[in-house]
Amino acid sequence: MFPTPMTGAHKRSPAMLLSLFLMIGLTSLYYFHSSISQHHKSGRILAELHELVAEFPSSDVKITDFATMASRAAVLAKVAELYVKNHALSRDLLRESVVRVFPWWNKQKLAYIPWEHDPAMDKIRTNETGIVVCVGDGNVKEALFLITNLRNVLGSQLPIEIAYAGDKDLSPHTRTFIYATGKNIHFLDLTKVFDNTLLGLSGWAIKPFALIASRFPRTILVDADVVFFSSPETAWDDYPGPAGPGVLLFHDRAVTMDNPRNKRQNFVAEQLSQLGRQPSTHLSHSSLFYWGFVGEEADSGVVFFDKSRPQLYITALFAAWMNIEDIRSEVTWDIFLGDKETYWLAAELLGVPYAFEPWQAGRLAEYLSEPLAKEFNTERLCSPHMVHATADGKDPFWANWGIWQRKDDTTLGFANWTHWYLGARIDKAIGALNSSHDAFVEPTSSGNETLELRRAEHKERVLATQPSWHWRDWEKDSAGCPQPDESRWKPLSSEIADVLHAIVEEAHTINYAWERMKRELNH
Ligand SMILES: *[C@@H]1O[C@H](CO)[C@@H](O)[C@H](O)[C@H]1NC(C)=O
Ligand SMILES: *[C@@H]1O[C@H](CO)[C@@H](O)[C@H](O)[C@H]1NC(C)=O
Ligand SMILES: *[C@@H]1O[C@H](CO)[C@@H](O)[C@H](O)[C@H]1NC(C)=O
Ligand SMILES: *[C@@H]1O[C@H](CO)[C@@H](O)[C@H](O)[C@H]1NC(C)=O
């Protein structure tokens, strides 16, 4: 049903490459775990893997052919894993192989690469965690609010690295101001790490590169306009993700988009079938996106990513590849919106496990008392911000779009949320369809009218378990922002309300200091 892949006849098919490397990989693992006398054999196997990489023709991957790129990256990931297990091996061949697949990767310029550090010998601890934020002069206020929240409200001592693309992106004056905002703040100029003539980095595209260039083995990639309600580091342990697969991602709003929806889902299915692989358990059991019920999967506002695992490090390189200028403009950003879907897509195509929060993004709202309720003609104003829950689903964990009531109209002042709404677990909602006696329609089946009708019913029932989003929900004519299950609205706990109050206080203070500094600079 999906268009046939466009692999040239002269190339090895990705599926063949994959099975080949799997075979070699398993054998080599066996040898690694056996006695020292086998070392020459494992050396030979590695040599064979490297030969395989050296055979990759350097310029024939079509930009649209993510599957071939995935199969190459998968071989690299396997090789990298073998090296991390054996610190005696020289890294030269591995570095050459990585450059062969990702020519912009430059060992000299990168602060952390998992196989360059022997945890037994090295000062860099493989579990060191830090926050990386991409900041430019355009979103510096958001970044200041984020930093003062983390340091002064939540008391997080995690080191923070500010990534930017040269002085034109984030001026030295601004950097000085940010630096003085809190302890343990570092700066990372990505134009000094990567050759930007190869990559054309700008906007969202710089995020996966910041992830790769960051000094932290365990990186939390955070958008400047994220509002945390509790300290981010606890999620490494609370959520099953980072402790298990090492990647934790958050969902986007449960919204459908008519046209791109099928294009997106079909693209993923096509690449998987070209690789000869079934979709992961995540896609088949807990993805409203893959079922074609919503048009968006991830919101990359916060991404937990453990780079100390070599497979994940290569996954990050693959995600970054998808955001290189020609690839993003022809494929990635044409099909998806920005960098946001590339983190899980890279892991999915490499067959590396990853985890998502179990719900689609939740909502925040402000309940109005008189006379505001009369003025707005509603008791409830929904906010345009998405909110994501703590692992137990009991409290908001973080929201996007900044602490302003409306980032696009800051004259409205700061947010004053009072309630929030979280849907049901996605896996439960999909599972419920499966246990009903209706025909159960698998995500990728289509073309049969009866099944399509079933599918539409399923879609309606599943979407009713998640918050709904309407255009202009939060405006005066919003009719109160109705939700499919009104009983799911909950008041913010008094702890969260206190945190919110403190965040706003800090925002007022730093906003004032920033405006004063700018005035002084202009005189
Ligand atoms: C990191 O590892 C060190 C040494 O193994 C250990 O003492 C420390 O508790 C770990 N920290 C975290 C946050 O896991
Ligand atoms: C549907 O149910 C079958 C049989 O219980 C199970 O094997 C399968 O994993 C379920 N699929 C989903 C998407 O829940
Ligand atoms: C926020 O809402 C609460 C409860 O309705 C109200 O008491 C308070 O004055 C509001 N604060 C602002 C800044 O609007
Ligand atoms: C469509 O699917 C239904 C349910 O599985 C089946 O009964 C019917 O024969 C199919 N129709 C066609 C035209 O394949």
Side-chain angles (χ1 to χ4, degrees):
M1 160 211 23
F2 298 110
T4 25
M6 49 286 163
T7 339
H10 61 291
K11 273 193 281 174
R12 284 180 175 166
S13 80
M16 199 177 118
L17 268 182
L18 259 189
S19 52
L20 188 65
F21 101 77
L22 258 180
M23 234 166 56
I24 301 172
L26 288 176
T27 330
S28 58
L29 271 180
Y30 167 77
Y31 282 122
F32 262 83
H33 290 293
S34 61
S35 72
I36 292 170
S37 69
Q38 301 282 7
H39 259 190
H40 66 285
K41 278 193 188 161
S42 56
R44 209 183 61 222
I45 298 222
L46 263 180
E48 275 177 40
L49 280 169
H50 282 301
E51 249 171 57
L52 192 61
V53 177
E55 263 184 43
F56 295 159
S58 53
S59 58
D60 78 334
V61 183
K62 282 206 186 113
I63 280 175
T64 48
D65 188 359
F66 280 36
T68 296
M69 198 60 192
S71 60
R72 292 178 180 191
V75 175
L76 269 191
K78 202 44 106 179
V79 175
E81 220 164 67
L82 295 176
Y83 274 91
V84 167
K85 290 197 172 105
N86 187 341
H87 288 279
L89 283 175
S90 152
R91 267 53 186 150
D92 292 345
L93 265 180
L94 174 58
R95 291 170 197 145
E96 261 174 48
S97 293
V98 177
V99 171
R100 180 128 192 112
V101 181
F102 302 106
W104 41 269
W105 182 84
N106 184 348
K107 183 225 157 216
Q108 307 302 332
K109 304 279 177 69
L110 292 163
Y112 177 81
I113 300 166
W115 55 80
E116 301 290 342
H117 300 278
D118 182 346
M121 312 284 291
D122 210 301
K123 282 201 292 281
I124 292 201
R125 301 219 315 254
T126 53
N127 62 4
E128 193 193 333
T129 300
I131 292 173
V132 177
V133 196
C134 295
V135 184
D137 281 321
N139 65 354
V140 57
K141 263 195 194 176
E142 262 61 54
L144 293 171
F145 299 159
L146 172 68
I147 295 168
T148 53
N149 175 16
L150 286 166
R151 289 289 187 264
N152 305 344
V153 180
L154 303 174
S156 168
Q157 302 308 321
L158 285 179
I160 298 173
E161 202 166 33
I162 305 290
Y164 63 102
D167 284 355
K168 277 197 194 124
D169 187 26
L170 189 66
S171 65
H173 276 304
T174 310
R175 297 206 295 274
T176 309
F177 190 91
I178 295 175
Y179 185 75
T181 308
K183 282 198 184 116
N184 212 352
I185 293 175
H186 310 264
F187 291 91
L188 172 61
D189 182 354
L190 292 173
T191 60
K192 300 216 167 93
V193 180
F194 300 106
D195 177 354
N196 209 16
T197 58
L198 295 177
L199 304 174
L201 297 186
S202 68
W204 291 320
I206 81 171
K207 286 171 58 187
F209 291 92
L211 169 64
I212 291 163
S214 100
R215 70 187 64 199
F216 314 119
R218 301 211 303 177
T219 293
I220 311 175
L221 187 62
V222 176
D223 279 357
D225 66 358
V226 163
V227 181
F228 282 109
F229 298 103
S230 56
S231 212
E233 54 260 58
T234 57
W236 285 109
D237 300 319
D238 296 347
Y239 264 102
V247 182
L248 173 63
L249 299 160
F250 295 85
H251 282 296
D252 207 328
R253 301 173 173 92
V255 287
T256 49
M257 293 169 85
D258 295 335
N259 201 18
R261 191 201 75 205
N262 288 327
K263 186 172 165 188
R264 291 172 181 181
Q265 187 208 354
N266 286 356
F267 179 78
V268 178
E270 257 166 46
Q271 302 300 328
L272 282 172
S273 94
Q274 207 178 323
L275 284 160
R277 243 210 337 271
Q278 293 300 310
S280 65
T281 319
H282 166 72
L283 281 193
S284 58
H285 287 72
S286 3
S287 168
L288 296 186
F289 163 79
Y290 199 65
W291 281 74
F293 295 163
V294 301
E296 316 283 331
E297 178 73 332
D299 162 30
S300 63
V302 176
V303 174
F304 286 76
F305 207 99
D306 185 354
K307 281 194 299 179
S308 72
R309 307 188 195 186
Q311 280 198 321
L312 286 181
Y313 186 78
I314 302 291
T315 303
L317 294 181
F318 186 31
W321 174 85
M322 297 178 190
N323 289 279
I324 294 173
E325 191 165 29
D326 51 348
I327 295 153
R328 71 172 185 256
S329 57
E330 193 165 323
V331 188
T332 324
W333 294 21
D334 180 44
I335 297 175
F336 304 103
L337 186 68
D339 69 304
K340 70 194 191 80
E341 313 289 2
T342 55
Y343 307 93
W344 68 264
L345 184 59
E348 180 73 32
L349 295 184
L350 288 189
V352 172
Y354 55 96
F356 264 95
E357 67 171 330
W359 317 270
Q360 218 67 34
R363 300 208 64 155
L364 286 160
E366 179 180 347
Y367 276 62
L368 304 172
S369 45
E370 299 301 342
L372 276 181
K374 190 161 264 162
E375 186 191 325
F376 280 81
N377 198 25
T378 175
E379 288 189 335
R380 181 176 65 215
L381 269 192
C382 261
S383 129
H385 305 68
M386 282 185 262
V387 66
H388 306 276
T390 51
D392 57 12
K394 287 193 177 137
D395 275 309
F397 175 29
W398 65 273
N400 80 334
W401 225 49
I403 190 65
W404 301 109
Q405 192 160 91
R406 295 281 308 261
K407 199 162 95 173
D408 55 355
D409 183 2
T410 55
T411 61
L412 295 173
F414 294 111
N416 191 23
W417 303 309
T418 59
H419 287 66
W420 73 303
Y421 183 107
L422 186 67
R425 288 181 62 105
I426 298 165
D427 54 353
K428 295 265 162 57
I430 291 176
L433 295 178
N434 198 5
S435 58
S436 72
H437 294 292
D438 295 347
F440 184 63
V441 189
E442 291 293 340
T444 51
S445 59
S446 70
N448 172 323
E449 254 179 56
T450 319
L451 290 183
E452 285 300 316
L453 275 174
R454 276 273 172 270
R455 200 173 165 67
E457 281 167 29
H458 284 175
K459 176 174 170 175
E460 207 171 296
R461 274 159 62 193
V462 170
L463 287 188
T465 67
Q466 303 299 317
S468 66
W469 298 80
H470 309 280
W471 178 234
R472 292 171 188 268
D473 267 350
W474 52 87
E475 293 191 346
K476 287 194 181 189
D477 56 3
S478 70
C481 176
Q483 290 299 315
D485 178 358
E486 290 288 335
S487 70
R488 296 190 89 95
W489 281 112
K490 282 192 285 191
L492 298 183
S493 68
S494 61
E495 289 81 10
I496 297 293
D498 288 348
V499 165
L500 178 58
H501 187 73
I503 296 171
V504 169
E505 294 272 288
E506 288 290 338
H508 272 298
T509 309
I510 197 76
N511 191 37
Y512 181 77
W514 169 255
E515 294 293 347
R516 194 182 51 198
M517 187 278 286
K518 278 206 310 192
R519 275 198 306 275
E520 280 163 12
L521 209 62
N522 289 338
H523 284 300

